[in-house]
Amino acid sequence: MTLQQFLGLLTILLASFSIVLMLLRLRPILLAMRRSRPTYRMDQIGKRLSSMVVQVFGHKRLLRNRLAGIIHLFIFSGFVILMLDIIEAIGQVISPTFSVGVVLQAVIDLWVLLVLTGVVLAIYQRRVIRPKRYEGSDERDGEIILGMISAIMIGIVIHTSFFPLVADSLYGIDEMKDGHFLGVMLSKVWIALGLDQTNIPAIGYTIGYLMDIGIIFAFMMYLPTSKHLHVFFAVPAIFFRKMDPPGQLVSQDDSNQSLEEIKTYEDFTWKDILDLYTCTECGRCQDVCPANKAGSPLSPKMLILNLRDAHLEQLHGNKPAMNEDWVIAGNVISAETLWSCTTCGACQEACPVFIEHVPKIVGLRASLVENGLLEERAQATLEGLIDHGNVYGKDQKLRPAWAASVDYRFKDARNEKVDWLWFLGDVASFETDPGVLNSIHSVSSVFKKADLNVGLLFNSEVSSGNDALRMGEIGLFEQLANQNMASLKEANFDRILTTDPHSFNALANDYQKLGLDKPVYHYSQVFLELFNEGRLSVESPLGIRATYHDPCYIGRWNGIFEQPREVLNRCGVEVVDMPRNRGGSLCCGAGGGRMWMNESGVQERPSESRIKEALTLPEVTHFVVSCPKDMVMYTAAVASLGVGDQIKVVDISELVLMAVNANAVQAAVS
């Protein structure tokens, strides 16, 4: 048997065995996806394809972290170029004269250097830098993969260095155009050592070929048991990512049109199961999670990995039979971990493979609610919503009481035609925090200044249900939403505005499925429109330096980043962004019902961390918010840190009023 025949037969055997074993290992996962709940992910095909190309080949999200992104780009691009090597190496087994050409051969060797550089940088990152986000990741698996990749690259150089010698001695091919510059240089070393006059070239070529092609097949067999399974699943995961507005928990086109309680793995959608096996363990989600940074037990990365590992145990029959009372929440993922989430979405925004953490957490929370596993304050909040329609548990008749104290007569949109309906939300309606009260007065004064035709639902408004839904009380959300929808249908208005980002998200996203067809605006958008129309004009530019905090529920979830900044610029405010801004903004810690939950065990509140971040900005005197929850959280943080003499928390409406009404007496700018 010739060397060609031996390697050809070995290649066929290795390829067949590796493919069969790989498919057998993938089969349980694919079957589990098939058994899971359906979700529709075949809309907007063109947008999905373009997004996939940008994210996969352009590394758009990966390159946000420059070093890690470059490392991955080097190694990933090497795998793309590696296809040329596979074609040539196997082609030469079939026909020794086969070649991909000197140019592509040179490209292969160039990428060998790039990949090995990426491996060295990856080892440096893991062993020297040691990012905190790697905590909990399978470091051993990562090192095995890096070892395999290195062996493949070295194998390419070895077998291309010995091939000219083998071609000459075994096949009589004495002249070959060879672009493998690394192989050529090493080949000259072999010749200088006199190895070309021995049988060693055939042995060396075989070893190099097996290090190259053989380890590629070993890699295929190993992947289904490795965290690098994302090599297979990342592309479909990115293609099938949710394309609806991010603020919608469930796809608009899903047949059930609502979030469902997650008790067992069969309650996950097939995309949820795909997510579990797509995780790269990079820890980017963990690195940006406000709950994790505050010292809570939640790590979005470990949540996915723990769900994956338990699912694998179930698939492989390593867990005891699960009776009808067995649920994931409380067994696989602790209740404390699930209640730590602020539902800010930072994890999803950071994930390079578009894993959807928040819907899973909310679905698992629903299981906790079903089983009564709520902390005391959360339970009281939900009871207030059930009994009174608001998180404060106050009589609904008190909801419009604040309107009597402002210098503006709001129309009753239930009885009069209005241009704008102001949906306040619970915090603005009932909170007694002075900052919130001041912002409501400022907003009302700006509306009066602009002669805006605004109405209210008065006591017909109940909580939007945004927090109830994200706390897992799905039925309660539907009850509240249906109450509001009935009131909205009776009212006579053209557009909705709200000063509450959480209500904005519910109205703009979740209520669309219930038939709400009126446009919804955040008040910063309304202010900008009033400036553009000339209904507001600056009388007294403020001339201050301020930083603006992007609320999660109008920023990251709904893409409203520039309008508030433009409003501030119009008012003569120099906006200095904090390092974490726009889609990377740090949550205040109040979302997902966390504002009404226990904070025991928290090492540093996210709101305090955020104020400290703002204090690093030179000459910034004002911390601007556009959310009543932010006002509560950040004024408390400033007081707790004792930095009230250094920075002042103000609502955007306070600055607008100061700028458009030189005679206004405000405490915002002093």
Side-chain angles (χ1 to χ4, degrees):
M1 179 183 292
T2 66
L3 180 61
Q4 269 184 290
Q5 292 171 332
F6 169 72
L7 292 178
L9 179 60
L10 187 60
T11 300
I12 292 171
L13 291 174
L14 285 174
S16 301
F17 182 75
S18 63
I19 291 172
V20 169
L21 183 59
M22 179 185 70
L23 291 176
L24 286 174
R25 286 178 167 178
L26 288 175
R27 185 171 181 271
I29 299 172
L30 299 176
L31 288 177
M33 289 171 60
R34 186 176 179 181
R35 289 193 298 268
S36 301
R37 288 196 297 112
T39 181
Y40 183 74
R41 299 297 175 95
M42 287 301 291
D43 58 319
Q44 307 180 61
I45 297 297
K47 188 175 179 181
R48 290 183 182 279
L49 287 171
S50 62
S51 172
M52 183 183 72
V53 170
V54 169
Q55 297 295 341
V56 174
F57 295 102
H59 275 45
K60 184 176 179 181
R61 281 196 175 182
L62 280 166
L63 286 170
R64 290 176 181 173
N65 185 311
R66 193 62 62 189
L67 176 59
I70 290 172
I71 291 171
H72 193 277
L73 184 60
F74 281 2
I75 296 175
F76 170 79
S77 61
F79 272 89
V80 175
I81 299 299
L82 188 61
M83 294 303 299
L84 295 172
D85 167 68
I86 295 172
I87 292 169
E88 182 176 64
I90 295 177
Q92 287 173 345
V93 168
I94 299 170
S95 172
T97 60
F98 179 80
S99 171
V100 295
V102 293
V103 174
L104 293 181
Q105 287 174 337
V107 169
I108 291 172
D109 278 29
L110 175 61
W111 253 263
V112 166
L113 293 175
L114 286 176
V115 171
L116 289 175
T117 300
V119 169
V120 171
L121 289 173
I123 293 172
Y124 174 76
Q125 182 173 240
R126 289 173 178 276
R127 291 296 180 180
V128 180
I129 299 177
R130 294 181 176 273
K132 192 174 186 298
R133 60 189 174 88
Y134 283 166
E135 290 181 4
S137 298
D138 190 342
E139 292 293 323
R140 180 174 174 273
D141 179 74
E143 289 168 359
I144 289 173
I145 292 295
L146 289 175
M148 283 183 157
I149 293 170
S150 300
I152 293 170
M153 296 301 115
I154 294 169
I156 291 174
V157 178
I158 291 175
H159 97 255
T160 57
S161 71
F162 278 113
F163 181 72
L165 307 184
V166 172
D168 184 15
S169 61
L170 297 184
Y171 308 120
I173 306 171
D174 55 359
E175 281 192 31
M176 295 186 63
K177 292 182 178 179
D178 200 339
H180 289 293
F181 58 88
L182 295 176
V184 168
M185 287 189 291
L186 189 57
S187 181
K188 290 178 179 178
V189 175
W190 305 145
I191 293 172
L193 293 172
L195 299 184
D196 57 324
Q197 305 301 317
T198 68
N199 292 327
I200 291 180
I203 298 172
Y205 175 72
T206 302
I207 292 173
Y209 181 85
L210 291 177
M211 287 180 68
D212 180 0
I213 303 302
I215 294 180
I216 289 173
F217 291 135
F219 192 79
M220 292 170 59
M221 290 184 280
Y222 180 72
L223 276 181
T225 62
S226 161
K227 71 177 186 179
H228 284 73
L229 189 55
H230 73 269
V231 170
F232 292 142
F233 287 160
V235 172
I238 294 172
F239 178 82
F240 290 120
R241 72 184 181 92
K242 187 170 170 288
M243 300 300 288
D244 301 296
Q248 287 183 358
L249 272 177
V250 181
S251 174
Q252 182 73 34
D253 293 317
D254 277 357
S255 56
N256 56 23
Q257 292 284 301
S258 65
L259 187 75
E260 291 194 7
E261 177 185 355
I262 297 174
K263 292 183 177 179
T264 67
Y265 284 100
E266 285 71 26
D267 296 323
F268 280 122
T269 68
W270 61 262
K271 177 58 168 63
D272 289 327
I273 300 297
L274 177 63
D275 281 351
L276 303 187
Y277 295 94
T278 305
C279 180
T280 68
E281 301 189 24
C282 67
R284 285 172 174 81
C285 57
Q286 179 176 293
D287 206 34
V288 298
C289 176
N292 185 264
K293 286 185 176 296
S296 81
L298 173 63
S299 159
K301 177 185 72 175
M302 296 311 301
L303 178 132
I304 295 297
L305 298 185
N306 290 337
L307 286 171
R308 179 199 67 189
D309 293 344
H311 188 239
L312 277 173
E313 289 184 4
Q314 181 179 336
L315 291 180
H316 297 152
N318 297 329
K319 268 189 174 292
M322 297 174 183
N323 59 42
E324 61 182 12
D325 296 324
W326 187 92
V327 292
I328 294 172
N331 287 297
V332 178
I333 308 297
S334 71
E336 185 182 5
T337 295
L338 293 171
W339 289 122
S340 298
C341 180
T342 68
T343 68
C344 71
C347 51
Q348 296 185 191
E349 176 66 21
C351 180
V353 289
F354 290 84
I355 289 173
E356 297 160 19
H357 307 76
V358 175
K360 297 175 185 54
I361 290 173
V362 173
L364 291 168
R365 280 181 168 184
S367 176
L368 294 176
V369 171
E370 178 70 19
N371 292 315
L373 299 176
L374 288 88
E375 60 173 33
E376 187 176 346
R377 290 189 65 201
Q379 180 68 48
T381 299
L382 292 177
E383 287 175 357
L385 284 167
I386 293 169
D387 296 336
H388 300 284
N390 63 81
V391 294
Y392 292 89
K394 294 184 177 180
D395 193 320
Q396 275 292 103
K397 294 178 181 179
L398 300 176
R399 184 178 285 272
W402 63 270
S405 66
V406 301
D407 186 23
Y408 181 89
R409 191 188 76 82
F410 288 97
K411 295 180 180 179
D412 188 335
R414 298 168 298 182
N415 302 319
E416 301 179 70
K417 172 71 172 66
V418 295
D419 296 331
W420 293 91
L421 174 68
W422 186 3
F423 192 100
L424 272 90
D426 289 353
V427 179
S429 297
F430 294 105
E431 181 60 56
T432 57
D433 179 270
V436 174
L437 295 174
N438 193 46
S439 66
I440 292 300
H441 281 248
S442 298
V443 172
S444 302
S445 296
V446 172
F447 288 165
K448 181 179 180 181
K449 180 74 174 179
D451 193 25
L452 207 63
N453 183 14
V454 183
L456 305 173
L457 289 176
F458 290 93
N459 62 338
S460 291
E461 176 189 320
V462 296
S463 168
S464 67
N466 186 79
D467 285 333
L469 178 59
R470 282 150 184 83
M471 289 173 74
E473 246 295 4
I474 302 169
L476 178 56
F477 163 74
E478 292 172 348
Q479 174 187 325
L480 294 168
N482 286 328
Q483 281 183 253
N484 278 322
M485 282 299 297
S487 299
L488 290 170
K489 287 177 181 177
E490 292 178 0
N492 192 355
F493 63 95
D494 296 323
R495 295 185 285 181
I496 300 174
L497 70 86
T498 180
T499 47
D500 177 19
H502 301 261
S503 295
F504 175 91
N505 185 75
L507 293 165
N509 296 307
D510 301 316
Y511 280 38
Q512 304 304 308
K513 299 176 184 180
L514 302 175
L516 180 62
D517 58 359
K518 297 294 180 69
V520 183
Y521 293 77
H522 183 252
Y523 68 133
S524 63
Q525 295 174 297
V526 178
F527 289 164
L528 184 57
E529 183 175 311
L530 293 174
F531 275 122
N532 290 336
E533 292 175 350
R535 299 179 68 174
L536 286 179
S537 59
V538 174
E539 296 179 5
S540 178
L542 301 179
I544 62 172
R545 284 170 63 90
T547 192
Y548 173 72
H549 169 72
D550 293 280
C552 304
Y553 272 90
I554 63 162
R556 190 157 37 240
W557 284 123
N558 287 284
I560 301 174
F561 299 119
E562 303 310 322
Q563 296 93 325
R565 288 174 170 82
E566 177 62 22
V567 168
L568 291 172
N569 288 335
R570 297 283 186 95
C571 294
V573 177
E574 182 185 351
V575 180
V576 182
D577 281 322
M578 288 175 276
R580 290 173 288 189
N581 60 77
R582 294 174 173 81
S585 178
L586 178 68
C587 175
C588 74
R594 287 296 310 166
M595 185 170 178
W596 299 284
M597 294 187 200
N598 197 321
E599 287 188 318
S600 60
V602 172
Q603 297 171 7
E604 182 180 61
R605 295 181 181 90
S607 55
E608 294 176 0
S609 175
R610 190 65 160 158
I611 292 296
K612 289 179 180 179
E613 185 176 1
L615 289 172
T616 65
L617 304 175
E619 300 179 31
V620 166
T621 57
H622 291 74
F623 187 99
V624 184
V625 299
S626 57
C627 169
K629 286 182 180 176
D630 285 341
M631 177 60 73
V632 174
M633 301 299 284
Y634 288 121
T635 51
V638 166
S640 175
L641 294 171
V643 294
D645 59 332
Q646 299 177 53
I647 198 162
K648 185 177 183 63
V649 179
V650 295
D651 186 85
I652 190 172
S653 62
E654 298 177 55
L655 300 185
V656 171
L657 181 59
M658 286 295 295
V660 302
N661 186 357
N663 297 319
V665 178
Q666 292 289 314
V669 181
S670 57

